Amino acid sequence: MKINCIKYDEKLKSALCSMIYKLYAEDPEGEPMSQEKIDMTIEQAKAYPDRLRIYIIENEECEIIGYAIIQLIWSNEWGGLTANIDEMYTIESARSQGAATAFIEGVPRLIPDTNRVTLEVTPSNEKALQLYERLGFKAVDNK
């Protein structure tokens, strides 16, 4: 699937919030979500784009099909900038069509200074785990 990635813009807030709440409803193992947390994340991304970015994912027809929140972290161990995909969500109708794969594979183009991409996943999310393993991600032992 061909996708477009758009940096978050305030006019997309309603769509972003809706998808964040859907993610947390579908994957409730983490901490509960609130509008206050979403607003703080948006404010941090606006204030510190060198550390935190929010992307909206669109399909070829320019319909919003997902979002991702990426933390940018310098890693001494890896000798460069790490892009950590903290959250990624695609709407149900867009799943298993390659949107997540296209987004992950496109991160180095979105953030050219990145020399490493990491991500987090809820252990019970088997479909996501399979996708990430297929893309070459491996679990780390760091605690």
Side-chain angles (χ1 to χ4, degrees), residues 116-135:
R116 182 170 181 248
V117 177
T118 62
L119 51 81
E120 299 177 9
V121 62
T122 304
S124 65
N125 191 340
E126 288 294 326
K127 284 189 83 170
L129 283 167
Q130 291 171 1
L131 167 66
Y132 302 148
E133 288 172 359
R134 192 172 72 246
L135 291 173

Side-chain angles (χ1 to χ4, degrees), residues 75-138:
S75 172
N76 185 53
E77 179 180 359
W78 292 95
L81 191 63
T82 296
N84 180 61
I85 302 171
D86 181 53
E87 289 184 12
M88 183 172 61
Y89 177 82
T90 55
I91 63 172
E92 193 169 347
S93 62
R95 293 180 190 160
S96 298
Q97 297 180 32
T101 297
F103 179 80
I104 292 168
E105 290 176 344
V107 168
R109 287 186 301 280
L110 285 173
I111 310 168
D113 296 340
T114 299
N115 75 347
R116 182 170 181 248
V117 177
T118 62
L119 51 81
E120 299 177 9
V121 62
T122 304
S124 65
N125 191 340
E126 288 294 326
K127 284 189 83 170
L129 283 167
Q130 291 171 1
L131 167 66
Y132 302 148
E133 288 172 359
R134 192 172 72 246
L135 291 173
F137 288 89
K138 296 186 180 9

Side-chain angles (χ1 to χ4, degrees), residues 18-126:
S18 173
M19 290 184 291
I20 289 174
Y21 284 119
K22 286 178 184 176
L23 170 68
Y24 281 81
E26 291 176 21
D27 193 6
E29 292 181 42
E31 294 294 316
M33 185 45 56
S34 68
Q35 191 61 51
E36 180 181 13
K37 288 181 182 180
I38 295 170
D39 290 342
M40 287 190 305
T41 297
I42 290 169
E43 289 305 312
Q44 287 294 306
K46 286 195 293 193
Y48 303 101
D50 59 325
R51 295 191 322 209
L52 184 66
R53 296 189 188 167
I54 302 170
Y55 290 96
I56 301 298
I57 304 166
E58 293 182 334
N59 64 15
E60 291 180 85
E61 290 79 35
C62 298
E63 298 166 328
I64 295 173
I65 60 167
Y67 80 94
I69 298 174
I70 298 181
Q71 303 162 323
L72 300 169
I73 307 157
W74 182 267
S75 172
N76 185 53
E77 179 180 359
W78 292 95
L81 191 63
T82 296
N84 180 61
I85 302 171
D86 181 53
E87 289 184 12
M88 183 172 61
Y89 177 82
T90 55
I91 63 172
E92 193 169 347
S93 62
R95 293 180 190 160
S96 298
Q97 297 180 32
T101 297
F103 179 80
I104 292 168
E105 290 176 344
V107 168
R109 287 186 301 280
L110 285 173
I111 310 168
D113 296 340
T114 299
N115 75 347
R116 182 170 181 248
V117 177
T118 62
L119 51 81
E120 299 177 9
V121 62
T122 304
S124 65
N125 191 340
E126 288 294 326

